[in-house]
Amino acid sequence: GESVGLHLPTLSVQEGDNSIINCAYSNSASDYFIWYKQESGKGPQFIIDIRSNMDKRQGQRVTVLLNKTVKHLSLQIAATQPGDSAVYFCASTEPNAGGTSYGKLTFGQGTILTVHP
Amino acid sequence: NAGVTQTPKFRILKIGQSMTLQCAQDMNHNYMYWYRQDPGMGLKLIYYSVGAGITDKGEVPNGYNVSRSTTEDFPLRLELAAPSQTSVYFCASSYSSPAAPFFGPGTRLTVL
């Protein structure tokens, strides 16, 4: 089965620094990857996604990098702000025999990002 | 749009009791999901549905049941609650696949 894990459970940065959160996945058939942000007491909030036919995708202050060779995913947050403090999860899907994944996400454990003013 | 709504927000059950966690979405999404999140952990898929009348098991379905009689609603039923079902339950939905599901605010359930 698929497993998705994170290298670092906690990350502390100063406001204005860039943050990098890493994620490893085990299933080479994974074809879609998502980063979620989860604040205390709330549901996961979509940040950015990437498909397996890409190796980089940029959003507003965030960049996701995908290295399929080593099955590694990273989230880069530029100019990190105190409001970015949260738990960040990577998640992935793999297609079933019929070619669709139905959004059946496999989540990593999460990285706690703390941004100090 | 309200998005994905879940009720109740909190619930305490005694061992052996049953309850239904409600989930509704007003985005006309075909796909709906139930996840559970244990403390300090990621989310695990319990059940999912690809449309009204169609449901299937996820990673951790034991002890739960679902139904999908309408596009909007996807209730999760717990029969004979056990302490191992103490968790936060999230409902989510997406329009297509693959697509990042949109999550509700969660229901915090404690079984004593």
Side-chain angles (χ1 to χ4, degrees), chain B residues 11-70:
Chain B
R11 184 71 184 269
I12 299 175
L13 285 180
K14 294 182 180 179
I15 294 172
Q17 288 185 319
S18 61
M19 76 165 293
T20 299
L21 282 67
Q22 301 292 344
C23 174
Q25 52 90 12
D26 61 357
M27 298 174 283
N28 200 33
H29 285 173
N30 294 318
Y31 301 89
M32 295 188 74
Y33 319 88
W34 274 106
Y35 287 87
R36 61 175 285 174
Q37 184 176 33
D38 297 330
M41 303 293 288
L43 285 74
K44 293 187 176 180
L45 182 65
I46 306 171
Y47 270 96
Y48 68 100
S49 169
V50 302
I54 306 171
T55 63
D56 206 348
K57 296 177 180 178
E59 183 182 357
V60 290
N62 291 344
Y64 307 95
N65 278 298
V66 293
S67 59
R68 184 95 182 270
S69 57
T70 67

Side-chain angles (χ1 to χ4, degrees), chain A residues 2-36:
Chain A
E2 167 80 348
S3 70
V4 180
L6 294 167
H7 295 299
L8 299 175
T10 62
L11 178 64
S12 293
V13 300
Q14 291 296 127
E15 182 177 2
D17 287 351
N18 296 332
S19 302
I20 300 175
I21 302 172
N22 296 302
C23 177
Y25 63 97
S26 60
N27 192 334
S28 58
S30 296
D31 62 350
Y32 178 60
F33 304 86
I34 309 165
W35 281 101
Y36 282 96

Side-chain angles (χ1 to χ4, degrees), chain A residues 53-99:
Chain A
N53 60 353
M54 303 172 68
D55 54 19
K56 180 179 180 179
R57 191 168 188 215
Q58 290 184 291
Q60 186 176 12
R61 285 202 302 120
V62 294
T63 301
V64 56
L65 299 177
L66 175 62
N67 186 331
K68 294 181 288 295
T69 301
V70 296
K71 292 183 282 190
H72 184 268
L73 190 70
S74 69
L75 175 70
Q76 300 178 1
I77 304 174
T80 316
Q81 303 167 0
D84 294 327
S85 294
V87 180
Y88 288 80
F89 292 96
C90 63
S92 67
T93 67
E94 60 187 73
N96 62 16

